[in-house]
Amino acid sequence: MSKVWYDHLIILEEVEIELGKLELDREEKRELEHLIEEMTHHRVMDRVLTHLPKQHHKEYLKRFANSPHDPGLIHYLNERIEESVEEHVKDEMKKLKKEILSDLRKK
């Protein structure tokens, strides 16, 4: 996946460690990493769109589609969302990391 504005807020070291403990071939590991990346993206976008007033959805999605890596998107969102978008992303990632770790440890 390409670089996105929230990459620096995603810290999944514990997940990477747990993935390393699993006996997976290279392809299986890549598939799991891709799945985690997609889950992360969907959760961040859902959280952002849940808290971003609907009248800004179209503009945000257009800006994101045109330049997903643009750090200015954080500023754009922070002007329109209560509580910082960084805190929303960190909170969502904490929840997702807990879910992923729980699933990986069941294997």
Side-chain angles (χ1 to χ4, degrees):
M1 183 174 233
S2 61
K3 295 284 182 190
V4 289
W5 63 265
Y6 55 79
D7 280 344
H8 68 285
L9 301 170
I10 309 301
I11 301 169
L12 297 173
E13 290 175 28
E14 289 175 80
V15 172
E16 291 171 10
I17 290 168
E18 287 299 315
L19 274 175
K21 292 178 183 178
L22 298 175
E23 294 183 23
L24 302 171
D25 64 36
R26 188 178 305 168
E27 185 60 32
E28 291 171 320
K29 185 177 180 190
R30 256 196 305 252
E31 285 178 27
L32 273 177
E33 289 169 340
H34 182 70
L35 180 60
I36 291 168
E37 198 172 278
E38 285 183 355
M39 290 169 58
T40 299
H41 177 70
H42 289 283
R43 293 285 284 267
V44 169
M45 293 300 279
D46 181 58
R47 182 74 175 248
V48 165
L49 293 172
T50 296
H51 293 278
L52 181 66
K54 289 188 191 272
Q55 69 263 26
H56 302 293
H57 284 196
K58 187 174 182 178
E59 181 181 357
Y60 167 70
L61 291 171
K62 182 178 179 182
R63 290 177 68 157
F64 181 82
N66 289 334
S67 188
H69 61 280
D70 181 6
L73 288 169
I74 292 173
H75 180 68
Y76 173 86
L77 292 168
N78 278 331
E79 289 180 337
R80 292 158 180 84
I81 293 178
E82 289 185 33
E83 191 177 322
S84 78
V85 71
E86 293 96 332
E87 291 305 313
H88 281 294
V89 171
K90 288 176 185 177
D91 181 58
E92 196 61 39
M93 288 304 94
K94 185 187 302 183
K95 292 175 187 176
L96 179 60
K97 181 168 58 172
K98 185 177 178 179
E99 292 170 20
I100 292 170
L101 287 172
S102 175
D103 287 344
L104 289 175
R105 290 173 178 153
K106 288 178 187 174
K107 303 272 181 218

